[in-house]
Amino acid sequence: MQNIWLICSLLWLHTGEPERFAAKENTFSYSLGNRSVALKVTTYGNSRDVVMINLHDDETTGVKAARMVLERTGGVLLSIENNNQRNITFTQRGKTYRFDPNRIFTKTGIKATLQEQGQHSTKPAISTVHGFSRFVLNRIPARAFVLIALHNNDDAGFSTLSYMKGGGHESAAAAVHRSDTHDPDHFFLTTDQAFFRQSRSAGYNVILQHKKAEDDGSLSIFYGKKNKRYINIEAETEHVGEQREMIEMAVAFIRQADGQSREGAVRR
């Protein structure tokens, strides 16, 4: 029954009413030492159950695909603006620091990413980056049923295989399903067991994150520690169609699961 509902939802995305939600953009800024970094929040309609985030400004394929879907479904897109660069650089008290914006959601991750990017992590720098992480998290709508993160990779680099036996991220996976029909570069990573089962049944590559995955400060780790629903949609750069299809599948799941949750609340 669940798969039938999912199929119907996906069909609606392509054959339903031709309504398009107009994009309304707001930009919020945060001061990092000598510079200001912008977070663009784009809303489509009044829906807040579907929320997507793009943390790496050099990964644009996911943003293109997300906009195509959100125009049809409604929802919210958050994206860091960083001059098309992955890592964010700032100067504070005469020292220059650099960090990966997807490694800043735990104190352990902040220290590690500052050190990996070439600078010893000082207390003032750690505090500044921690403030930026709170700034990003506070802009995620509280009504978000699931947070969808958008990421892109290069061919034959980071992929589903990275989480399988012998891969560099093997210990981070509680379960892995490798598809016979989808490129391993296109995969889901999730903290939600129901979504893992659904996407596995639908034939996608999908990884269920281990509850004791190493703390690298990523958004997936933060959500895992909070026992909150999180879906990372990873696709190869320039493969907009494939990532759009994956986003549609995730949105259909969210609408299904959120609807069931509301029905259960009413019955209780």
Side-chain angles (χ1 to χ4, degrees), residues 163 187-191 206-209 220 230-233:
Y163 292 89
F187 66 92
F188 295 106
L189 181 142
T190 185
T191 62
V206 58
I207 295 100
L208 178 65
Q209 181 174 277
S220 67
Y230 170 94
I231 299 170
N232 173 25
I233 301 179

Side-chain angles (χ1 to χ4, degrees), residues 46-75:
N46 297 318
S47 173
R48 298 293 182 273
D49 59 338
V50 174
V51 179
M52 306 183 197
I53 187 167
N54 183 66
L55 296 169
H56 294 139
D57 197 28
D58 64 334
E59 298 177 6
T60 59
T61 300
V63 173
K64 293 176 184 176
R67 292 185 183 280
M68 293 176 184
V69 177
L70 288 168
E71 287 177 353
R72 298 291 304 272
T73 66

Side-chain angles (χ1 to χ4, degrees), residues 144-248:
F145 187 76
V146 181
L147 180 65
I148 297 175
L150 307 166
H151 287 280
N152 297 119
N153 58 51
D154 297 322
D155 184 30
F158 181 56
S159 75
T160 309
L161 305 181
S162 303
Y163 292 89
M164 299 183 72
K165 188 174 182 179
H169 297 274
E170 178 186 356
S171 63
V176 179
H177 176 259
R178 183 181 176 185
S179 171
D180 293 329
T181 56
H182 291 273
D183 187 323
D185 292 330
H186 309 312
F187 66 92
F188 295 106
L189 181 142
T190 185
T191 62
D192 189 80
Q193 291 189 17
F195 181 75
F196 175 82
R197 292 191 297 269
Q198 190 98 346
S199 50
R200 179 183 60 190
S201 297
Y204 288 93
N205 295 305
V206 58
I207 295 100
L208 178 65
Q209 181 174 277
H210 201 291
K211 291 185 179 295
K212 295 183 179 180
E214 182 180 356
D215 181 358
D216 62 2
S218 62
L219 201 52
S220 67
I221 292 295
F222 176 83
Y223 267 69
K225 286 178 176 291
K226 297 288 185 181
N227 290 317
K228 299 177 70 173
R229 297 179 178 91
Y230 170 94
I231 299 170
N232 173 25
I233 301 179
E234 188 92 31
E236 191 178 332
T237 300
E238 299 301 331
H239 286 241
V240 178
E242 288 89 339
Q243 194 154 17
R244 176 182 178 179
E245 176 187 312
M246 295 170 72
I247 293 171
E248 289 173 343

